[in-house]
Protein backbone atom coordinates (compact mmCIF):
# COMPACT_ATOMS: atom_id res chain seq x y z
CA UNK A 1 0.00 0.00 0.00
CA UNK A 2 2.87 2.42 0.68
CA UNK A 3 4.89 1.71 -2.47
CA UNK A 4 4.80 5.29 -3.76
CA UNK A 5 5.29 6.91 -0.34
CA UNK A 6 8.48 8.80 0.38
CA UNK A 7 10.63 7.63 3.30
CA UNK A 8 9.48 10.73 5.21
CA UNK A 9 5.79 9.93 4.65
CA UNK A 10 6.32 6.36 5.83
CA UNK A 11 8.22 7.67 8.86
CA UNK A 12 5.30 9.99 9.71
CA UNK A 13 2.89 7.04 9.64
CA UNK A 14 5.27 5.09 11.89
CA UNK A 15 5.54 8.08 14.25
CA UNK A 16 1.73 8.22 14.42
CA UNK A 17 1.79 4.56 15.49
CA UNK A 18 4.39 5.34 18.17
CA UNK A 19 2.35 8.27 19.51
CA UNK A 20 -0.80 6.16 19.78
CA UNK A 21 1.13 3.34 21.44
CA UNK A 22 2.64 5.70 24.02
CA UNK A 23 -0.88 6.97 24.78
CA UNK A 24 -2.06 3.36 25.17
CA UNK A 25 -4.61 3.80 22.37
CA UNK A 26 -6.00 0.73 20.67
CA UNK A 27 -6.44 2.51 17.36
CA UNK A 28 -4.20 4.91 15.47
CA UNK A 29 -6.25 7.88 14.31
CA UNK A 30 -5.82 11.00 12.25
CA UNK A 31 -5.09 12.95 15.42
CA UNK A 32 -1.95 10.85 15.86
CA UNK A 33 -0.90 11.59 12.29
CA UNK A 34 -1.45 15.31 12.94
CA UNK A 35 0.80 15.14 16.00
CA UNK A 36 3.44 13.19 14.08
CA UNK A 37 3.47 15.84 11.36
CA UNK A 38 3.52 18.70 13.86
CA UNK A 39 6.36 17.09 15.83
CA UNK A 40 8.47 16.81 12.68
CA UNK A 41 9.95 20.26 12.14
CA UNK A 42 10.56 19.96 8.39
CA UNK A 43 6.91 19.34 7.49
CA UNK A 44 4.40 21.73 5.94
CA UNK A 45 2.10 21.01 8.88
CA UNK A 46 4.69 22.13 11.42
CA UNK A 47 5.53 25.25 9.42
CA UNK A 48 1.93 26.38 8.85
CA UNK A 49 0.64 25.62 12.35
CA UNK A 50 3.64 27.29 13.97
CA UNK A 51 3.03 30.29 11.73
CA UNK A 52 -0.52 30.34 13.14
CA UNK A 53 1.03 30.20 16.64
CA UNK A 54 -0.43 26.79 17.41
CA UNK A 55 1.55 24.97 20.09
CA UNK A 56 2.03 21.30 20.81
CA UNK A 57 0.34 21.82 24.17
CA UNK A 58 -2.75 23.26 22.47
CA UNK A 59 -2.88 20.31 20.10
CA UNK A 60 -2.51 17.84 22.96
CA UNK A 61 -5.21 19.60 24.99
CA UNK A 62 -7.68 19.47 22.09
CA UNK A 63 -6.81 15.87 21.26
CA UNK A 64 -7.41 14.86 24.88
CA UNK A 65 -11.03 16.02 24.49
CA UNK A 66 -11.73 13.65 21.61
CA UNK A 67 -14.25 10.93 22.30
CA UNK A 68 -12.54 8.31 20.20
CA UNK A 69 -15.30 5.96 19.15
CA UNK A 70 -13.59 5.26 15.84
CA UNK A 71 -13.73 1.98 14.03
CA UNK A 72 -11.23 -0.04 12.09
CA UNK A 73 -11.59 -2.48 9.25
CA UNK A 74 -10.63 -6.15 9.57
CA UNK A 75 -9.03 -5.63 12.97
CA UNK A 76 -6.64 -3.03 11.54
CA UNK A 77 -4.75 -0.95 14.08
CA UNK A 78 -5.67 2.16 12.07
CA UNK A 79 -9.06 3.90 12.11
CA UNK A 80 -11.11 3.90 8.93
CA UNK A 81 -10.49 7.64 8.54
CA UNK A 82 -6.74 7.20 8.96
CA UNK A 83 -6.69 4.57 6.22
CA UNK A 84 -8.87 6.76 3.99
CA UNK A 85 -6.58 9.79 4.41
CA UNK A 86 -3.43 7.77 3.73
CA UNK A 87 -4.95 6.23 0.59
CA UNK A 88 -6.25 9.56 -0.72
CA UNK A 89 -2.84 11.16 -0.16
CA UNK A 90 -1.67 9.04 -3.06
CA UNK A 91 -4.31 10.72 -5.26
CA UNK A 92 -2.98 14.12 -4.18
CA UNK A 93 0.25 13.43 -6.06
CA UNK A 94 -1.71 14.33 -9.21
CA UNK A 95 -2.40 17.82 -7.83
CA UNK A 96 1.21 18.34 -6.80
CA UNK A 97 2.52 16.60 -9.94
CA UNK A 98 4.85 14.34 -8.01
CA UNK A 99 5.56 10.65 -8.23
CA UNK A 100 5.73 10.05 -4.49
CA UNK A 101 3.57 10.93 -1.49
CA UNK A 102 5.21 13.48 0.79
CA UNK A 103 4.12 15.16 4.02
CA UNK A 104 2.29 17.92 2.12
CA UNK A 105 0.06 15.33 0.45
CA UNK A 106 -0.85 13.81 3.80
CA UNK A 107 -1.57 17.20 5.37
CA UNK A 108 -3.51 18.50 2.36
CA UNK A 109 -5.67 15.36 2.27
CA UNK A 110 -6.23 15.53 6.02
CA UNK A 111 -7.39 19.15 5.77
CA UNK A 112 -9.70 18.31 2.88
CA UNK A 113 -11.79 16.02 5.08
CA UNK A 114 -13.53 17.89 7.89
CA UNK A 115 -14.97 14.69 9.34
CA UNK A 116 -11.72 13.36 10.79
CA UNK A 117 -10.51 13.97 14.34
CA UNK A 118 -7.39 15.87 13.31
CA UNK A 119 -9.27 18.45 11.26
CA UNK A 120 -11.86 18.83 14.02
CA UNK A 121 -9.00 19.59 16.42
CA UNK A 122 -7.65 22.24 14.07
CA UNK A 123 -11.09 23.81 13.60
CA UNK A 124 -11.50 23.94 17.40
CA UNK A 125 -8.18 25.81 17.52
CA UNK A 126 -9.47 28.40 15.06
CA UNK A 127 -7.83 27.04 11.92
CA UNK A 128 -9.83 27.21 8.68
CA UNK A 129 -8.89 24.04 6.75
CA UNK A 130 -9.82 25.56 3.37
CA UNK A 131 -7.57 28.58 3.94
CA UNK A 132 -4.73 26.33 5.02
CA UNK A 133 -5.22 24.17 1.92
CA UNK A 134 -4.96 27.32 -0.20
CA UNK A 135 -1.75 28.22 1.66
CA UNK A 136 -0.29 24.84 0.74
CA UNK A 137 -1.24 25.28 -2.91
CA UNK A 138 0.31 28.77 -2.88
CA UNK A 139 3.55 27.40 -1.44
CA UNK A 140 3.80 25.01 -4.38
CA UNK A 141 2.64 27.59 -6.97
CA UNK A 142 -0.44 25.55 -7.82
CA UNK A 143 -3.40 27.52 -9.13
CA UNK A 144 -6.64 26.60 -7.41
CA UNK A 145 -8.48 26.60 -10.75
CA UNK A 146 -6.06 24.05 -12.18
CA UNK A 147 -7.08 21.45 -9.63
CA UNK A 148 -10.85 21.76 -9.90
CA UNK A 149 -11.02 18.78 -12.25
CA UNK A 150 -9.34 16.67 -9.55
CA UNK A 151 -11.93 17.54 -6.90
CA UNK A 152 -13.74 14.26 -7.54
CA UNK A 153 -10.71 12.41 -6.19
CA UNK A 154 -11.47 13.79 -2.78
Amino acid sequence: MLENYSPQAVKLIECAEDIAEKEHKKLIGTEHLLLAMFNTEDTICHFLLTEEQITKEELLDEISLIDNNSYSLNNSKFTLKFNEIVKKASDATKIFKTEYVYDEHLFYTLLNDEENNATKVLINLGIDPKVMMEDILDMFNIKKESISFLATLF
Side-chain angles (χ1 to χ4, degrees), residues 36-55:
M37 288 188 289
F38 184 81
N39 289 342
T40 305
E41 289 188 13
D42 64 342
T43 63
I44 295 294
C45 172
H46 181 84
F47 174 78
L48 289 174
L49 293 181
T50 301
E51 192 175 72
E52 293 293 325
Q53 300 180 346
I54 301 295
T55 66

Side-chain angles (χ1 to χ4, degrees), residues 2-147:
L2 301 177
E3 304 83 42
N4 69 325
Y5 287 70
S6 70
Q8 184 199 36
V10 172
K11 181 76 173 152
L12 289 169
I13 293 167
E14 291 169 351
C15 286
E17 290 181 64
D18 292 343
I19 289 168
E21 187 177 297
K22 286 177 186 168
E23 294 178 1
H24 307 290
K25 300 291 181 182
K26 293 179 184 175
L27 292 175
I28 302 148
T30 58
E31 64 276 17
H32 302 113
L33 182 59
L34 175 64
L35 272 176
M37 288 188 289
F38 184 81
N39 289 342
T40 305
E41 289 188 13
D42 64 342
T43 63
I44 295 294
C45 172
H46 181 84
F47 174 78
L48 289 174
L49 293 181
T50 301
E51 192 175 72
E52 293 293 325
Q53 300 180 346
I54 301 295
T55 66
K56 182 177 179 177
E57 291 73 28
E58 289 173 312
L59 284 173
L60 290 170
D61 287 347
E62 277 300 317
I63 288 170
S64 72
L65 301 174
I66 292 173
D67 181 22
N68 201 349
N69 288 329
S70 301
Y71 299 97
S72 66
L73 187 62
N74 297 330
N75 295 322
S76 170
K77 58 185 173 181
F78 300 101
T79 64
L80 291 173
K81 276 293 180 186
F82 186 102
N83 282 327
E84 184 180 313
I85 296 299
V86 170
K87 286 177 186 172
K88 285 184 177 180
S90 186
D91 294 333
T93 60
K94 294 172 183 72
I95 294 170
F96 291 87
K97 297 179 180 153
T98 61
E99 184 178 346
Y100 294 98
V101 173
Y102 295 98
D103 67 283
E104 57 267 18
H105 304 109
L106 289 167
F107 193 46
Y108 185 88
T109 306
L110 191 86
L111 292 167
N112 196 48
D113 178 352
E114 293 187 16
E115 295 303 314
N116 70 71
N117 286 340
T119 304
K120 290 176 184 177
V121 163
L122 294 174
I123 290 168
N124 288 345
L125 290 171
I127 299 296
D128 182 336
K130 298 300 180 205
V131 170
M132 195 151 282
M133 287 171 65
E134 289 175 15
D135 289 345
I136 294 169
L137 294 177
D138 288 345
M139 291 174 79
F140 288 90
N141 294 320
I142 299 169
K143 302 272 187 257
K144 190 176 176 186
E145 308 81 50
S146 69
I147 65 161

